Amino acid sequence: MRKRSKYRPKNVLANPMGYVIESMTPVALYESFALDLKITNHMAMTTLTQGNATKADINVLINALNITESLWRLGFGKEYRNVVDVGIRALRAVGKRGLDTDKFALEPDEADALNEAMELHDAQLEIITVGDMERAVRIVRDEVRYKRATPIQEKKT
């Protein structure tokens, strides 16, 4: 049997200077991207508050709060740890009830917690750079890949 090579080719950037400059650009300058993201997040939140949310809407909110938490870990909004914790707990509770009953419904305290978490997410989007967003997405992806993320509903054994 032949020995496997340890050589692994690395990705090569076509324009390294452009990548560096873009990484330092604030996300807020990409107005169409930021606006589309906020509209998607707030539409999911609106359908949840109206009681018409689907699994896709819950997934949008899960993604938004995961990014909020990873940006918090990177130091954006360090003083709002409680907002992040309470928002994630509220979303888990709504998701668990929704998976049990096939209807996603909010309780008043959960609505307040999720609204505050979405406000924090919007504020974070105003101050971060593209590089910060890439690092936040990488944190979330690694949490899921290495099974450190807490699922809404635990696997039944």
Side-chain angles (χ1 to χ4, degrees), residues 9-153:
K10 303 261 189 269
N11 292 335
V12 178
L13 295 174
N15 183 2
M17 285 303 295
Y19 177 76
V20 169
I21 291 170
E22 186 173 317
S23 292
M24 295 186 307
T25 305
V27 170
L29 291 182
Y30 293 96
E31 293 173 5
S32 64
F33 167 76
L35 186 62
D36 289 346
L37 184 60
K38 287 179 184 180
I39 287 172
T40 303
N41 293 340
H42 286 281
M43 284 300 296
M45 189 65 192
T46 301
T47 57
L48 181 61
T49 56
Q50 293 172 347
N52 300 325
T54 62
K55 287 183 183 179
D57 294 324
I58 297 300
N59 284 335
V60 167
L61 294 173
I62 289 170
N63 291 335
L65 287 182
N66 284 342
I67 293 295
T68 302
E69 183 182 21
S70 62
L71 286 170
W72 174 85
R73 287 182 186 179
L74 292 172
F76 298 97
K78 274 289 196 194
E79 60 275 9
Y80 296 105
R81 177 60 186 178
N82 189 42
V83 171
V84 173
D85 283 342
V86 173
I88 289 173
R89 269 190 262 124
L91 189 58
R92 282 191 188 131
V94 169
K96 185 165 175 29
R97 275 197 316 271
L99 290 175
D100 293 340
T101 62
D102 287 333
K103 182 160 176 71
F104 298 98
L106 277 174
E107 294 179 359
D109 58 333
E110 294 169 345
D112 293 339
L114 286 174
N115 280 329
E116 283 186 41
M118 291 305 292
E119 285 179 30
L120 177 60
H121 181 66
D122 290 344
Q124 287 172 331
L125 287 178
E126 294 296 322
I127 61 172
I128 65 171
T129 63
V130 173
D132 297 329
M133 182 62 107
E134 287 176 353
R135 286 195 312 245
V137 169
R138 193 175 313 122
I139 288 171
V140 171
R141 188 177 54 234
D142 288 347
E143 291 288 317
V144 171
R145 177 185 297 151
Y146 299 120
K147 298 188 183 355
R148 293 185 297 231
T150 305
I152 285 183
Q153 187 163 355

